[in-house]
Amino acid sequence: MSTTALPTYDDVVERYEPVIGLETHVELGTNTKMFCACPTGFGAEPNTQVCPVCLGLPGSLPVANRAAIEATIRIGLALNCSIAEWCRFARKNYFYPDMPKNFQTSQYDEPLCFDGWLDVEVDGEMVRIGIERVHLEEDTGKTLHVGGATGRIHGATESLVDYNRAGIPLVEIVTKPIPGTGAKAPVVARAYVTELRDVIRSLGVSDVRMEQGSLRCDVNTSLNLPGEDWGTRTETKNVNSLRSVERAVRSEILRQAAVLDSGGRIVQETRHFHEDTGDTTSGRSKETATDYRYFPEPDLVPIAPDPAWVAELKSALPELPRVHRTRLQERWGLTDLDMQSVVNAGAVELIEETVAAGATPAGARKWWLGELARRANETGVELAAVGATPAHVAELQRLVDEGKLNDKLARTVLEGVVAGEGTPSEIMAARGLEVVSDTGALTAAVDEAIAANPAIADKVRDGKVAAAGALVGAVMKTTRGQADAKTVRELILARLGVQG
Amino acid sequence: MSDLTRMTAAQLAGLIAGGETSAVEVARAHLDRIAAVDDRVHAFLHVDAEGALEAARAVDARRAAGEELGPLAGVPVGVKDVVTTRGVPTTAGSKILEGWRPPYDATIVERLRAAGTVMLGKTNMDEFAMGSSTEYSAYGPTNNPWDLGRIPGGSGGGSAAALAAYEAPLTIGTDTGGSIRQPGAVTGTVGAKPTYGGTSRYGLIAFSSSLDTPGPCARTVEDAALLHAVIAGHDPRDSTSIPAPVPPVVEAARLGATGDLTGVKLGLVTQFAGEGAEPGVMAAFRDAVDALTKLGAEIVEVSCPNFEYALPAYYLIAPSECSSNLARFDGVRFGLRVGDDGAKSLEEVMSITRDAGFGPEVKRRIMLGTYALSSGYYDAYYGQAQKVRTLITRDFTAAFEQVDALISPTTPFVAFPFGARTSDPYQMYLADLYTIPTNLYGGPAISVPCGLSEGLPVGLQVMAPTMADDRMYRVASALESAVGTLTPPAL
């Protein structure tokens, strides 16, 4: 068997047309669960936020959470969807131990919201992503497989189930297939999820945190030759960050191309994305599709939102992120290109919050897009998860503005912040990084430098002011960079009786 | 004092309220009766003597303290084992729930407790309420007090037999296709299925969610109405519960007891004209119709053409819902677990548990329902059955534009001997031929004794429009006043 070089991405997207689609699950931030009054807080002791209803005990019955229905309608409206005048929940039947009733109360052919769109900006161009449907369902519990090497069920000796999450309201947002994005498919996917996240966050209905699982994304990908029908799609799960959305699409495009190039065919299946390698591996095959035996949920009455209420919700929608960003751009005085780089870095809200915490837009942008973006990129985390908060950055910038830190020292302090050592002030104090502004100490250092370099001092006294640079360097060296160079220079010139 | 166990609930409540007897004495009398006869009747799966006496003492204490007691305070009641009772075993007649003690009370049980009734224990039933004879109880059948070799009806045979055997003056049943009314008919007792949504299903272990209705069983119509009034009413924990006042059932039962049905128009369903019914049942029914005419009722014939499709539609809808409702019995969180030896996969353990824990009729219906909901068959079966349901509802609506209530025999045949209908499921299903249309429609219906056939009780069914439960009580009570209650031979 001859080894052929794997095709490059550019080569692949030249020959094949990718079609993508995204299914996003958003856990709503309601106080109580979808069908019972249990609390929904994240991180509680296992099986402490449960009751007969969310445990599916015999005889228990669901009652739909009005706040969750309202939040779903608001999401639908923000995504330009039509809102069903009458729709029902449906049971999705399958056996799995993290699902207490062995059916999930979901929606099937009567989603609450349908047929909308979301405009997404990619490289300065608008891409309209069609929204197939937005529906409401309940989350499952979480299974922990113990004893195996992989943490997956195979090889595990024991499985533990935590039902705290069971019954938390979950909104599923499904796009229409997205063809025609070519090489940009991975970037479009990421931009869509980013925009969707921002929209939902602006509605205040979920904290949409991918790392905590309150925003989860499944990515569908297929390839076809130009002019031919769409190919068989795969569904990639376990995509847990915005960066992974992009990587997963790219990786799946490459993998499918390699299969097709070698004459193989794509199997319709679920694939798992691996954060560490950036690859996907085969999960469960969907060729023998599970028959979920959907039927209308007889324990719940249909949802028939009053059109007046829907209209009221629509008129009360907050400014959408895209509009909001345009306003910020003006206020911050950024060019389109600068603003785009802020958006691409996922830094809009971080900068907004940093400015709100007292920093100037320029100062805030400098740190988030510079040092912190570099750091996030190196460690492969979202910018928001890099370890510094908007309050940290605002404080850092204030210390610089007050002259307590210079640029170099500020970077060192920021490293400490990211490493979790404390606030910038704390780190500055603990590490003794403050700019030496005590004129007494500086004067001593200046005198020392003049005494050690008499020839240079003479040149300065003779009017060759530029020569003072060498003396400044000497002082900075003895103060280990903790002095403000400008102040040092002024001191030297004053000492030598020269006007700066 | 004469035998407390022979009295009606209304009489007992009066004696207790008047201080002529105590709730504890009444509870003891019934517990003694259970101890004396239940080994032959087997109406109870679990007797909670301690809980009953404790509840009775509480009623006596409240009376002693001068508190006002509700209309059924101190009256014993048996609860069908498909209704959850906190801390008291609840099996739904199935091995898969053997030993399970629910951590919560059903809404109707809460209401029974709040009313001061005294729960004696849990009554036998066909497994998960699927059956018409109690022969599908995993714990053995209940025997009909009229003839211990015959079935007491089902699924609520235990609740009906407990009344006929004087083990309890009141019991709770649940009716999905006739499980309150048919046992009432074949044991010579009264069984009422309220309007769907009139009584809360919260805590009723679901068989078929869109049909299940808890309701009262008693030896008299008035007692049934009194129990109905206690358990009915809106429950925010059941989304399908109707947020409307309880119809005036007790008043209606008392009005009916005057024996005057002048101005009441009753409909005989053409499609129930006796095909498939035993001649003795039809004879007793016709006599009852004559009695109703004498009471002043006008009788007309009403055609309900879609009723003939009720049975097939029911046997698609109910199994479909049951296949989903019973999925939770998997051995993971509660109840039976079999095969968990550390070597088998979770899926295997679930499968072995369900195979060991479910009986033949339950398995049959899970399979029927699973098939009917399958992709590619849904429209032809479940979807079609729902359309039939709509047509049956239209038949009822049209009928109630012509008449105040419909009447029919409750069930085509009297209590049959054990084993007579177990070999052919369809023969068993026919027991519910006349009761099922009401469940598909959602309206109320009551079975009241109307006579005997070959020495065995025959029941007459009164069907009324939704939320007009009072109407059926009036008619049933009037008939009762004319034909009297039935007394079984001594055990």
Side-chain angles (χ1 to χ4, degrees), chain A residues 58-60 91 93 100 102 291, chain B residues 104 201 203 324-325 327 330 333 375:
Chain A
S60 65
R91 292 190 185 175
N93 295 285
N102 284 323
D291 184 349
Chain B
Y104 74 106
R201 291 186 296 116
S324 173
N325 283 328
D330 59 6
R333 291 160 304 275
S375 164

Side-chain angles (χ1 to χ4, degrees), chain B residues 225-305:
Chain B
L226 286 166
L227 185 54
H228 185 129
V230 163
I231 60 171
H234 180 243
D235 176 13
R237 287 181 294 192
D238 174 359
S239 308
T240 60
S241 161
I242 298 171
V246 180
V249 291
V250 176
E251 293 79 350
R254 288 178 181 154
L255 174 64
T258 61
D260 183 8
L261 288 179
T262 309
V264 175
K265 206 167 169 184
L266 300 175
L268 292 172
V269 180
T270 312
Q271 286 70 19
F272 287 170
E275 222 173 297
E278 288 175 351
V281 167
M282 287 316 292
F285 176 67
R286 275 192 298 270
D287 288 348
V289 173
D290 289 345
L292 289 167
T293 311
K294 281 186 195 130
L295 295 172
E298 186 190 342
I299 312 283
V300 297
E301 199 173 297
V302 178
S303 178
C304 296

